Amino acid sequence: MFRTVLVANRGEIALRVIRTLREMGIGSVAVYSEADAAAPHVAAADRAVGIGPAAARESYLHVDRILEAARRTGAEAIHPGYGFLSESAAFARRCAEAGVVFVGPSPAALEAAGDKVRARETAKRAGVPIVPGTPPSENLAELARAARAIPLPVLVKAAGGGGGRGMRLVRDWKELDEALHAASREAAAAFGDGRLLVERFVHPARHVEVQILGNGTGGVAAIGERECSLQRRYQKIVEEAPSPAVTEALRTGMLEASRRIAAAVGYAGAGTVEFLLAPDGAFYFLEVNARLQVEHPVTELVTGLDLVRLQLEVAAGEARSLAALERPARGHAIEARLYAEDPRAGFLPTTGRVLRLGWPQGPGLRVDAGIVEGQTIGTDYDPLLAKLVSWGPDREQARRRLVEALEETVLLGLRTNQSHLIDLLESQVFRAAETFTHSVEDAAADAGGTLAADPEPPEVVLAAAALVLARGLGGTGSDRRGNGAEGRGAGSPWVTLGRWRIGAGT
């Protein structure tokens, strides 16, 4: 096993990896930009190295500076977390040339899995159904002609990237040309690749993904599935495991399809195979995310596995029985992503200083956070602040625990999506497990664009804030009136502060 590992990331995922390194007795090295000099992941690591200015391209995406930090600290391996360089075949290749182990798939597997086109071809060869669509092309006129053979609506997608960038929904052929040009510009700017493809828009659809772990020699464990349908702008907000929509027969088919795809590219380490689930129960391959996913904690809670530890063991060449990893889910887990964003303004990122911070405590709760009190949140990086994750013996208890955890969370100083998350978890569609990829947009349309309660009058806000601050971070909870929407009334400072964060916070 490695003696020292450099974590080429920041925020909550850097802290998450560092915790496992500490548990395994492995030395940790953090890297940080000038904007993150006082960030919690820097303090948590055994050593820390500055790698440049705030701009990601000059720091967290600067391969030479990261490799130099590894050389200076004697790090034998680099864990990339997610985002940034985690799916870069070029970076993985540079690591190998520098004699440093990249904790992830091989460059060849990253190229095969990371490119949507090659991944679709691999799925077809493996006998896994894919969404009907066009071949990728930079020729927008050719794409427009080919797309008209697909029934409306259609989805324009970037061939070389994801995360909702370079993606446009087209419901009328009159919109197609504009959508193609806009998506191509966005894809070229985001990924350096303007190629697009056009697919049939499966609607209503669920987004279900399978957690995999490969050993690099064809052996693959399919560890279980997650439901990730609640999204905004094609970015996930709430995830759960197992999926309430997946039957045992469907699960068997999706797990086997995931094994075949991963084995075909010689996959090593942790990753996910993503699917769209159609109303008739048919599933279609979407893509492979060749890295640790943001939502991996829900799988860890229902399986008892540490996916970061497994990544490190595979990267170090340690033998592992993959069959032993495929275990039935125990109970149910749900994750909510807490973002610095304003749902009432189209989920635009927000900024501010964390004036007061308090996380919930209780049975079945896990908080993966990347912020501390007093920290200034800017716009240099992804607005994800923390992930609140609950576990329960059944879905309803996990849901109630997560609602309660969000209500007890104190985060003053900037607007977040906290109240919006509570509203989603309390909604009838979520309670009934009838959520689809369009559910968040539908809720916004039904509410006339208002996704959270209006702010309280200023005097009520100030009184509630004073009450919570006087009690300290935790509060006594004596003013809370229950778990349901009926219990989040005007007498609760928790709810008032939640509304303030969305509507009138600084």
Side-chain angles (χ1 to χ4, degrees), residues 195-216:
R195 291 177 306 149
L196 303 175
L197 54 90
V198 183
E199 293 180 343
R200 179 167 74 86
F201 182 57
V202 179
H203 183 84
R206 292 179 183 266
H207 187 144
V208 179
E209 64 189 23
V210 172
Q211 176 70 55
I212 57 170
L213 186 87
N215 61 12

Side-chain angles (χ1 to χ4, degrees), residues 318-376:
E318 294 193 356
R320 160 71 68 166
S321 171
L322 296 179
L325 303 178
E326 297 187 344
R327 56 188 70 176
R330 172 182 168 271
H332 202 93
I334 309 174
E335 174 182 294
R337 301 189 190 186
L338 186 63
Y339 283 103
E341 64 183 18
D342 188 349
R344 298 195 311 153
F347 298 99
L348 288 175
T350 60
T351 61
R353 184 167 173 264
V354 181
L355 301 176
R356 195 70 163 170
L357 182 63
W359 299 118
Q361 297 182 9
L365 293 181
R366 167 174 165 175
V367 178
D368 283 16
I371 58 173
V372 292
E373 195 169 293
Q375 186 174 347
T376 298

Side-chain angles (χ1 to χ4, degrees), residues 206-210 224-229 240-255 275-278 281-283 332 395 433:
R206 292 179 183 266
H207 187 144
V208 179
E209 64 189 23
V210 172
E225 89 284 350
R226 298 185 285 255
E227 172 91 25
C228 307
S229 297
E240 55 185 309
S243 167
V246 173
T247 64
E248 280 303 320
L250 181 57
R251 178 173 294 114
T252 298
M254 296 178 82
L255 296 185
F275 299 95
L276 278 183
L277 181 58
F283 64 88
H332 202 93
R395 184 176 187 270

Side-chain angles (χ1 to χ4, degrees), residues 90-138:
F91 179 56
R93 195 170 284 112
R94 288 287 305 278
C95 287
E97 293 169 355
V100 179
V101 175
F102 176 79
V103 181
S106 67
L110 283 169
E111 289 171 343
D115 185 281
K116 285 186 174 66
V117 180
R118 293 184 62 183
R120 282 167 60 92
E121 293 170 350
T122 299
K124 286 178 67 175
R125 289 195 301 269
V128 178
I130 63 174
V131 179
T134 70
S137 177
E138 287 185 300

Side-chain angles (χ1 to χ4, degrees), residues 1-8 13-29 75-81 101-105 213-215 268-270 292 300 306-320:
M1 182 48 69
F2 310 114
R3 294 185 298 274
T4 305
V5 172
L6 183 146
V7 184
I13 188 57
L15 284 165
R16 161 72 187 90
V17 174
I18 290 169
R19 280 195 294 270
T20 288
L21 291 173
R22 184 179 299 119
E23 185 178 78
M24 296 177 70
I26 300 172
S28 58
V29 178
E76 302 154 285
I78 295 178
H79 194 299
V101 175
F102 176 79
V103 181
L213 186 87
N215 61 12
L292 193 69
E300 293 185 326
D306 182 335
L307 292 173
V308 173
R309 176 185 284 267
L310 292 174
Q311 284 184 295
L312 292 163
E313 290 176 352
V314 169
E318 294 193 356
R320 160 71 68 166

